[in-house]
Amino acid sequence: MKNKIVVIGSSNVDLIMKMDHLPQKGETVTDAFFMQTYGGKGANQAVAAARAGGNVAFINCVGQDAYTPQMVQNYKDDGIDTRYVFKMNNVTSGHALVMIGNEGVNYLSVAPGANYLLTNDMIDKAMPIIEEAAVIILQYEIPADTIKYVLDLATEKNIPTVWNFAPARAFDTNYLSKVTTLMLNEVEAGFLAGTATIKTTEEAEKAARILLNLGVKEVIITLGENGAVYFSSNEKHTMPAYKVDVVDTTSAGDVFAGSYAVGIVEGMTIKNAMRFANAASGLCVTKMGAQPSAPMRKEIEAFLKENV
Ligand code: RIB
């Protein structure tokens, strides 16, 4: 049985400031706490899946700057296969500016750098590892053409895909029929389904039904403090969020995606995989930073024992 989780996507150097309130237009907020760490939705998902117990390979494109060697070394230290992390000259790696205000709410802006150079020919070079995939995870911080290319390939090779449609931006919805599991938050689901931002589980179901009608097999909508919901043509699950002390919500969705994939590849039921992913993202929001906050398998299991 194949068990490899192949994550195809972005990596970023994250520059984070936590402050007691986010600045208004023209305001300077002083006394912020600064932290430089590593992020990017693809890398966060790869790290989360590896720490949750997955056998992970990461296909990614990085640039040349002082931070990049350590960024890639960290993936190796987490046991991730980095043979297909491509390095480009004369471009920086992706960078993100993260501002965290009270209650862990964040503002994010991203300069994609080398992430936008992850192209179809690199995917072709990574074919040996793609052939081994039990599941492919994608996000949306790489070019739309690359996403389409991978979805075509995965369909042809019969490999299930988890597409975390984040961040939300225009996409050819004809391609959604090639997605096995579409994972999005309340803003992204509203954007893709053409509804308003989702506020209730009823609205989530309405958006999910629109997306299922476009050909997606399964839809998972993460609803922050309201948990997560799953819909397919014949199943529906609601998973309330765990009550935890929130420090930083950055990468909660990434940790959910990476650990959910581990659950599915291990043969957990959808409900149990969601519970596992919910626990992992609940732990993630109690710590600062994207990759530093992705929990280890033993932490997830201990949390699940304590929070039945
Ligand atoms: O999902 C969180 C991530 O989004 C951050 O790590 C940042 O790099 C951006 O990609």
Side-chain angles (χ1 to χ4, degrees):
M1 270 276 278
K2 288 182 182 176
N3 74 346
K4 190 159 302 274
I5 296 171
V6 176
V7 181
I8 303 179
S10 58
S11 58
N12 287 330
V13 176
D14 283 0
L15 303 170
I16 309 171
M17 282 210 196
K18 185 168 168 68
M19 50 207 86
D20 62 9
H21 70 278
L22 294 166
Q24 303 292 309
K25 188 176 173 190
E27 181 190 358
T28 300
V29 172
T30 57
D31 298 336
F33 169 77
F34 174 73
M35 183 175 176
Q36 179 274 312
T37 181
Y38 297 101
K41 293 181 194 303
N44 296 345
Q45 292 173 11
V47 167
R51 291 191 192 158
N55 172 9
V56 181
F58 186 33
I59 303 175
N60 166 241
C61 185
V62 295
Q64 255 189 331
D65 51 62
Y67 297 110
T68 297
Q70 185 60 52
M71 180 162 81
V72 178
Q73 184 57 45
N74 288 354
Y75 308 148
K76 293 182 184 160
D77 293 347
D78 271 312
I80 297 169
D81 182 342
T82 58
R83 278 178 295 158
Y84 299 102
V85 172
F86 297 93
K87 294 178 188 68
M88 300 298 279
N89 297 329
N90 305 318
V91 63
T92 62
S93 291
H95 278 68
L97 291 180
V98 185
M99 288 205 292
I100 306 167
N102 43 8
E103 289 163 7
V105 176
N106 62 37
Y107 280 179
L108 246 162
S109 62
V110 175
N115 291 311
Y116 274 10
L117 301 179
L118 184 66
T119 50
N120 300 351
D121 57 314
M122 292 175 182
I123 302 299
D124 286 342
K125 285 188 187 131
M127 204 60 78
I129 211 90
I130 291 174
E131 304 268 9
E132 287 180 27
V135 65
I136 293 175
I137 314 185
L138 295 157
Q139 326 71 40
Y140 204 7
E141 288 184 321
I142 58 172
D145 280 349
T146 312
I147 300 277
K148 289 183 187 171
Y149 192 70
V150 173
L151 289 175
D152 282 336
L153 203 68
T155 307
E156 188 193 306
K157 294 187 180 294
N158 216 9
I159 304 169
T161 48
V162 173
W163 188 23
N164 177 216
F165 181 76
R169 54 196 175 96
F171 188 72
D172 176 1
T173 52
N174 290 320
Y175 261 82
L176 292 181
S177 62
K178 302 195 175 197
V179 176
T180 316
T181 310
L182 185 67
M183 207 176 266
L184 6 64
N185 70 17
E186 52 275 66
V187 177
E188 293 145 5
F191 176 91
L192 195 60
T195 65
T197 292
I198 281 133
K199 295 203 179 66
T200 63
T201 46
E202 290 72 30
E203 287 172 5
E205 177 152 9
K206 190 177 152 209
R209 298 281 165 222
I210 293 171
L211 297 168
L212 291 171
N213 282 336
L214 289 168
V216 177
K217 315 284 175 302
E218 309 173 305
V219 178
I220 296 178
I221 304 182
T222 53
L223 300 165
E225 62 197 18
N226 295 319
V229 285
Y230 168 100
F231 301 96
S232 68
S233 58
N234 56 358
E235 264 185 84
K236 178 172 160 177
H237 301 285
T238 305
M239 197 60 59
Y242 291 102
K243 298 270 172 276
V244 291
D245 291 330
V246 178
V247 172
D248 172 16
T249 57
T250 314
S251 80
D254 303 332
V255 168
F256 188 97
S259 39
Y260 178 80
V262 171
I264 292 300
V265 166
E266 286 186 6
M268 290 182 199
T269 60
I270 286 160
K271 202 168 176 189
N272 283 343
M274 283 184 70
R275 203 170 149 259
F276 183 73
N278 224 12
S281 65
L283 282 164
C284 154
V285 300
T286 63
K287 288 192 189 150
M288 277 279 289
Q291 285 161 36
S293 66
M296 303 299 288
R297 174 73 173 235
K298 60 178 188 307
E299 296 176 83
I300 305 172
E301 284 174 350
F303 184 88
L304 280 168
K305 263 194 201 146
E306 278 166 26
N307 298 275
V308 182

